[in-house]
Amino acid sequence: MSDIKLTVEPYDPSDRAELLKGDARQGWQRLFENGLTVSDEQILIHSMFAQQQDRDGFRTYDELARRFQDTEREFRSYVAMSEGTIRALSKPRDMKVYTERLGVAVAIIAANEVTQITEADWVKIGETNTSKTLDYEWRASDGERFIRLEAKGSVTEGATTRSNVSDAKKSIREKKETARSGLTAPSVEYGLITLISTGDHRPTIFALDPPGPDEPLDPRRERLLGRLAYFASHLALVSRSKMVTVLRNRRNAIASLSDFDELDGLVLERSEGERFYLSRTFGNRPLVELDGVVGRVLRPRRRPWDDDRPPYARFVGFERDLFEILVRQDFDEILAYRAARRRRKMNVDLRSESGEPVGAMADFVVNTAGIAFGAVTPSTFAEDW
């Protein structure tokens, strides 16, 4: 796992002035002075989980499991993340898909650093019927207002300077003007452009802050709905428990009721009336617990054509206290939840698929939404581990 440092700059003096006037001014000041430090695992979390879709090959944990290995290898073949930096491994014209993923990942992490929102709060908004689709269309709520984000990624063969992102800046300005008609609730907007180079230049994030439109929605309800959807989708990657279905049904009920607060504090229960509890075989799947994080180890798959199977497995999990909060369904508690971003390395004892004991080293990160992702490397090689 590698920590990566990115420089953060306002695009121009007017953007600096606007960003340092708002409620998030202290966060922006820290980023301008110290930059943003992220791990390659955080970027992979966003690039991999973003693939979950409602179609064959993307719905379930097992389907995604088969794709993680290929996705990571493909992403790393175009984007090098090591020695404290990010570098493009191909010409700019070949990098569009990967720089888009990188741009979104870095922008969301940066936005979380300057606001009181987490990965669980971001919702990708669908395409519009206007003449220009808003590329950024990522929206979050802090419970009182909306934060809208346009994220772009770009590659240059030279230095990571402002002149290399002028087209991206122009696009952000124009599209945000398009977005401002017919909206009525408070919001702020950020535009973040991540620029990496094929050479040895530090990656740079350029920040823009044009005025935001209003939104015709209830920020508290939308934040609650966004968080419940995020948590349900990530719990589904770990377990097949009926709780995931019950949680999704509760979210749908909150969305449909005019007075959704009547569901506040209504505990999630099984059909027999018993509340859900976390066990070692939650949802008929064996789980491991690593320093308060409960999850599953996703072992690499060996295929006849694949001679370079990764020497590590993937770990996907969630903070134990998050599970209890979701079961209790105290809305204020769910809305206020923010985990400490942390990285943990520890020795673990696992079992191979044939039941043999295997010692391993787990190295994972936990994001601010309480979701964990990382690698588990065995201390000795076992063919079926």
Side-chain angles (χ1 to χ4, degrees):
M1 189 180 298
S2 174
D3 286 332
I4 296 161
K5 183 72 175 287
L6 297 95
T7 299
V8 182
E9 300 178 1
Y11 185 83
D12 59 31
S14 65
D15 289 307
R16 173 184 285 275
E18 290 300 320
L19 290 165
L20 296 182
K21 277 197 302 190
D23 295 341
R25 58 186 176 277
Q26 292 182 340
W28 284 115
Q29 187 67 49
R30 284 194 302 272
L31 286 185
F32 293 154
E33 292 177 356
N34 305 322
L36 176 69
T37 299
V38 300
S39 72
D40 56 348
E41 297 289 339
Q42 289 174 269
I43 292 172
L44 286 169
I45 288 172
H46 288 276
S47 66
M48 290 183 178
F49 286 137
Q51 292 193 68
Q52 191 173 19
Q53 304 170 27
D54 187 21
R55 64 184 177 86
D56 290 343
F58 289 90
R59 291 192 183 94
T60 69
Y61 177 91
D62 288 329
E63 289 170 336
L64 280 172
R66 291 190 290 271
R67 294 180 180 272
F68 275 8
Q69 190 172 323
D70 295 333
T71 301
E72 179 177 359
R73 182 184 292 123
E74 181 184 16
F75 189 80
R76 288 187 183 275
S77 69
Y78 282 88
V79 181
M81 298 183 289
S82 62
E83 299 179 353
T85 191
I86 309 173
R87 186 167 59 88
L89 297 176
S90 188
K91 299 288 186 182
R93 65 177 178 273
D94 301 323
M95 293 287 297
K96 181 172 171 46
V97 171
Y98 307 98
T99 53
E100 285 176 354
R101 292 183 192 173
L102 178 67
V104 170
V106 170
I108 287 177
I109 294 168
N112 290 348
E113 290 292 313
V114 299
T115 64
Q116 293 303 307
I117 54 182
T118 75
E119 281 87 346
D121 295 314
W122 291 101
V123 176
K124 186 175 183 180
I125 303 171
E127 293 186 355
T128 66
N129 292 322
T130 58
S131 59
K132 294 200 177 196
T133 297
L134 302 178
D135 293 344
Y136 63 93
E137 284 308 87
W138 290 86
R139 184 180 64 210
S141 167
D142 61 8
E144 297 180 355
R145 63 179 181 176
F146 291 97
I147 296 95
R148 294 166 66 100
L149 176 67
E150 177 164 9
K152 286 185 174 294
S154 187
V155 176
T156 178
E157 295 183 85
T160 50
T161 58
R162 186 177 68 174
S163 61
N164 287 310
V165 294
S166 58
D167 288 345
K169 179 268 301 183
K170 181 180 179 182
S171 174
I172 289 174
R173 301 271 196 223
E174 291 177 349
K175 290 171 184 175
K176 289 190 175 187
E177 289 296 335
T178 304
R180 290 194 188 113
S181 59
L183 301 173
T184 57
S187 77
V188 295
E189 289 190 28
Y190 300 130
L192 293 173
I193 307 166
T194 301
L195 178 64
I196 64 174
S197 174
T198 57
D200 295 325
H201 301 280
R202 174 169 285 185
T204 301
I205 305 170
F206 294 95
L208 297 87
D209 183 60
D214 291 336
E215 293 273 7
L217 302 168
D218 176 354
R220 183 168 175 268
R221 184 201 295 257
E222 292 303 309
R223 188 181 203 193
L224 182 61
L225 292 174
R227 288 193 161 205
L228 293 181
Y230 177 92
F231 292 137
S233 67
H234 284 72
L235 261 63
L237 296 177
V238 178
S239 171
R240 290 187 177 127
S241 170
K242 292 180 180 178
M243 179 188 160
V244 176
T245 300
V246 173
L247 183 60
R248 285 173 169 156
N249 289 341
R250 178 62 56 86
R251 180 196 177 278
N252 293 339
I254 292 169
S256 63
L257 288 174
S258 56
D259 182 14
F260 67 93
D261 279 313
E262 67 184 62
L263 298 177
D264 191 1
L266 188 60
V267 174
L268 296 185
E269 296 179 339
R270 303 175 186 274
S271 57
E272 310 85 44
E274 178 186 1
R275 63 165 284 163
F276 286 96
Y277 291 95
L278 194 56
S279 67
R280 285 274 183 194
T281 56
F282 179 58
N284 296 321
R285 283 181 167 174
L287 302 181
V288 296
E289 183 164 354
L290 307 178
D291 193 29
V293 177
V294 180
R296 289 195 66 206
V297 175
L298 172 63
R299 292 176 171 85
R301 309 293 181 183
R302 181 179 292 281
R303 296 154 301 189
W305 64 88
D306 188 5
D307 294 328
D308 59 340
R309 184 179 71 162
Y312 55 82
R314 281 297 175 191
F315 175 71
V316 184
F318 52 85
E319 295 273 20
R320 174 178 278 276
D321 66 338
L322 172 60
F323 177 87
E324 299 299 331
I325 287 171
L326 292 174
V327 171
R328 287 195 293 267
Q329 284 292 294
D330 181 309
F331 290 171
D332 287 340
E333 196 174 23
I334 294 171
L335 291 168
Y337 183 78
R338 184 181 179 90
R341 190 187 299 280
R342 60 191 175 111
R343 178 182 176 183
R344 189 75 168 90
K345 295 179 71 174
M346 59 189 296
N347 293 314
V348 295
D349 294 320
L350 302 174
R351 294 277 177 180
S352 68
E353 292 181 348
S354 62
E356 294 298 317
V358 178
M361 170 63 72
D363 186 357
F364 61 92
V365 292
V366 181
N367 67 19
T368 54
I371 301 301
F373 186 75
V376 178
T377 306
S379 54
T380 57
F381 181 78
E383 184 68 25
D384 67 341
W385 76 282

